[in-house]
Amino acid sequence: SHTGSLSYAQLNMRANQLAHYLRTLGVQAEVPVAICIERTPELLVALLAILKAGGVYVPLDPASPAARLAIILSDVDAPLLLTERKFSDVLPRAGVHLIYVDDEQQTIARHSEANLASTTRALNLAYIMYTSGSTGVPKGVGITHRGVVRLVKDTGYVSMSAGEVFLHFAPLSFDASTFEIWGSLLNGARL
């Protein structure tokens, strides 16, 4: 469902099911997986699933021009694109396998809810975000797991605890979303 809330236990179980499914599709360490999902609990399930499978998420903004999305998909060479049916008209199809998470719920739900054995290390990429392309062509910037953890764990610049509530305001394709999402989830807060 796209509404309501998920507990951490529910989030983990749903992410595990999708991660097991992604593994069957070849997602492992350093495999880029493009993602274009609305800011809902489904987005968080998908992000966690990509990381649990060992993959690298590559955010696509559905509001971007089709040409920009095509450049990003071609450059990053992601074999999979996790998305929702409502975005089928705006996303390029060439060279990428589209998985509509809303259509595939039954398939995903057949997979195990158990945690996966992690193959990810601190210096593996967590995500690749593309620059605005104001200089001509968008460029991918890879961020490691260590970089994300360094930003939001044991920080000296802001209090982050389970008692906090974070607003997920930034689009996933904007780096401020890293602080919002992982600052919240890696500290047990509400997002």
Side-chain angles (χ1 to χ4, degrees), residues 32-74:
V33 179
I35 183 167
C36 183
I37 295 175
E38 207 179 7
R39 272 177 286 182
T40 61
E42 301 306 315
L43 173 62
L44 300 178
V45 168
L47 290 178
L48 270 175
I50 292 166
L51 296 177
K52 282 171 168 278
V56 180
Y57 69 86
V58 183
L60 297 180
D61 186 344
S64 292
R68 173 181 165 81
L69 298 179
I71 289 169
I72 292 171
L73 281 172
S74 169

Side-chain angles (χ1 to χ4, degrees), residues 25-153:
L25 298 172
V27 177
Q28 56 188 339
E30 300 288 307
V31 171
V33 179
I35 183 167
C36 183
I37 295 175
E38 207 179 7
R39 272 177 286 182
T40 61
E42 301 306 315
L43 173 62
L44 300 178
V45 168
L47 290 178
L48 270 175
I50 292 166
L51 296 177
K52 282 171 168 278
V56 180
Y57 69 86
V58 183
L60 297 180
D61 186 344
S64 292
R68 173 181 165 81
L69 298 179
I71 289 169
I72 292 171
L73 281 172
S74 169
D75 185 64
V76 78
D77 201 22
L80 301 175
L81 167 50
L82 295 186
T83 188
E84 296 164 299
R85 181 61 66 182
K86 68 170 137 202
F87 297 131
S88 62
D89 293 344
V90 298
L91 295 170
R93 284 184 167 64
V96 66
H97 177 64
L98 271 68
I99 296 169
Y100 297 106
V101 291
D102 41 358
D103 291 356
E104 298 285 334
Q105 280 305 331
Q106 287 182 311
T107 303
I108 295 164
R110 285 197 288 268
H111 287 79
S112 170
E113 295 178 350
N115 286 322
L116 292 79
S118 175
T119 58
T120 307
R121 301 289 173 253
L123 293 179
N124 283 127
L125 292 178
Y127 66 89
I128 299 170
M129 201 163 281
Y130 275 75
T131 63
S132 64
S134 56
T135 57
V137 180
K139 293 174 183 64
V141 178
I143 305 297
T144 63
H145 285 267
R146 182 167 77 176
V148 174
V149 171
R150 175 70 188 89
L151 176 69
V152 300
K153 291 298 291 178

Side-chain angles (χ1 to χ4, degrees), residues 151-152 155 157-158 160 166 175-184:
L151 176 69
V152 300
T155 62
Y157 63 90
V158 65
M160 288 192 257
F166 285 69
D175 63 1
S177 67
T178 303
F179 178 83
E180 295 168 358
I181 294 169
W182 304 114
S184 168

